[in-house]
Amino acid sequence: MRLCRFNDNRLGVAESGSVLDVTAALDALPACRYPLPGWDLLIEHLDDVRARIEAIRPTASSLPLDRVTLRSPVANPGKIVAAPVNYQKHLDEVRADSQIHAHNPAHTITIQQAGVFLKANSSLVGAGDGVTLRKRDRRTDHEVELAFVIGRKASHVSSADALGYVAGYAIGLDISIRGSEDRSLRKSADSYTVLGPWLVTTADVPDPGNLDLEIAVNGQQRQKSNTKYLILGVPQLVELASSFYTLYPGDIILTGTPEGVSPIEPGDSITATIEHIGTMQVQVHG
Ligand code: MN
């Protein structure tokens, strides 16, 4: 199932060229009072919501996909975890290019040495929201990444069990200001985490370890690879992250970007595609 959030917090199921409005399925969620949970309620109760979707689907109205504004399919993640330099050829290009590593030795070590980092939740947007550049005097790059969403509470989970804790997959853009600062700062500007175009539940992604991914800017291909080249795959990233902190339903993990990162400018149009997930168009604003 391709689950999306669109327009003014409508819930949808994306099908070929259209979106079924299944917002009424949100009635399956429990009512909340302050303090709200620190994780995403929709993902926590995804099984109940999906059962409700199946029940209302025959009478749901349909909209053309190109007429809706896609938001992040996860509205309230507890955290956004990201993997740095998780493809060898990207690590090679980081080491070779001072504009990328910015003379900070912390940017040229391996993922086994660096571990994962956190991006601010306030950086999260959907494909239809677009990216609005900050620090216009600095180089800012696209990074296309397989993203996955945690489905249930995970602490000290082994890689062998890890895929059972995943709710689904999406395309992630880890937009990055280049420079000497810590990754968590340079990659956390508002709109610098794009998740979309929808969440594809696990049954529709046969093997997260073998997915073609690519990104084009204004129709020109910039990055093209396959997740089989990930140094730490999805299971290993769950094991690593959950050994340091508990992962909760709705937590987003960005798996890292392959080689070919390059600058984006206001007015650019980004097209990102991952096999079995789909394609998303993202506009870059000044
Ligand atoms: Mn990245």
Side-chain angles (χ1 to χ4, degrees):
M1 181 178 283
R2 296 176 165 195
L3 207 58
C4 66
R5 189 164 62 101
F6 66 96
N7 295 353
D8 187 14
N9 291 311
R10 310 296 297 177
L11 182 69
V13 174
E15 300 182 325
S16 55
S18 62
V19 176
L20 284 179
D21 188 332
V22 293
T23 306
L26 294 175
D27 292 346
L29 298 181
C32 279
R33 291 192 59 176
Y34 181 86
L36 299 174
W39 55 86
D40 190 275
L41 268 188
L42 172 62
I43 304 300
E44 181 187 21
H45 296 280
L46 194 55
D47 290 347
D48 297 335
V49 172
R50 289 187 64 180
R52 192 71 66 96
I53 287 173
E54 294 305 337
I56 65 173
R57 192 177 188 136
T59 56
S61 59
S62 176
L63 299 93
L65 182 57
D66 58 8
R67 299 291 294 275
V68 306
T69 303
L70 291 168
R71 313 297 181 188
S72 167
V74 181
N76 300 113
K79 53 186 168 296
I80 302 172
V81 179
V85 291
N86 200 15
Y87 288 81
Q88 183 61 46
K89 287 184 178 174
H90 175 56
L91 177 57
D92 294 343
E93 76 181 346
V94 169
R95 286 173 167 166
D97 187 344
S98 64
Q99 284 189 23
I100 305 179
H101 66 65
H103 305 286
N104 183 339
H107 296 164
T108 55
I109 59 179
T110 64
I111 185 169
Q112 290 89 347
Q113 295 169 305
V116 294
F117 64 97
L118 293 172
K119 301 188 68 170
N121 289 1
S122 50
S123 69
L124 182 63
V125 295
D129 297 310
V131 171
T132 301
L133 297 181
R134 291 198 177 209
K135 300 289 178 189
R136 293 281 304 279
D137 57 329
R138 303 264 296 266
R139 173 172 161 173
T140 299
D141 288 2
H142 56 79
E143 295 191 348
V144 64
E145 316 198 354
L146 173 67
F148 63 97
V149 176
I150 293 295
R152 58 196 178 100
K153 199 170 166 181
S155 180
H156 295 295
V157 171
S158 72
S159 60
D161 296 333
L163 293 184
Y165 291 79
V166 176
Y169 299 89
I171 304 171
L173 299 185
D174 176 22
I175 305 296
S176 305
I177 300 167
R178 297 304 172 197
S180 62
E181 300 94 336
D182 188 79
R183 291 183 174 95
S184 67
L185 181 66
R186 294 183 291 105
K187 295 165 173 272
S188 283
D190 296 356
S191 79
Y192 279 30
T193 304
V194 185
L195 190 74
W198 36 66
L199 180 74
V200 181
T201 50
T202 50
D204 292 327
V205 179
D207 180 5
N210 186 13
L211 297 173
D212 286 331
L213 74 169
E214 62 181 289
I215 191 169
V217 178
N218 305 328
Q220 279 198 318
Q221 189 177 84
R222 301 280 181 89
Q223 294 179 274
K224 181 176 173 60
S225 189
N226 185 289
T227 57
K228 69 185 176 191
Y229 298 116
L230 281 166
I231 296 168
L232 300 183
V234 171
Q236 289 76 28
L237 289 170
V238 171
E239 179 173 296
L240 170 64
S242 75
S243 74
F244 281 88
Y245 39 56
T246 301
L247 298 168
Y248 291 92
D251 281 3
I252 297 163
I253 302 185
L254 296 161
T255 58
T257 201
E259 70 279 9
V261 300
S262 70
I264 50 174
E265 301 291 342
D268 284 349
S269 179
I270 295 173
T271 307
T273 300
I274 301 184
E275 190 179 6
H276 294 297
I277 295 175
T279 295
M280 68 177 183
Q281 303 276 350
V282 180
Q283 289 300 127
V284 181
H285 307 290

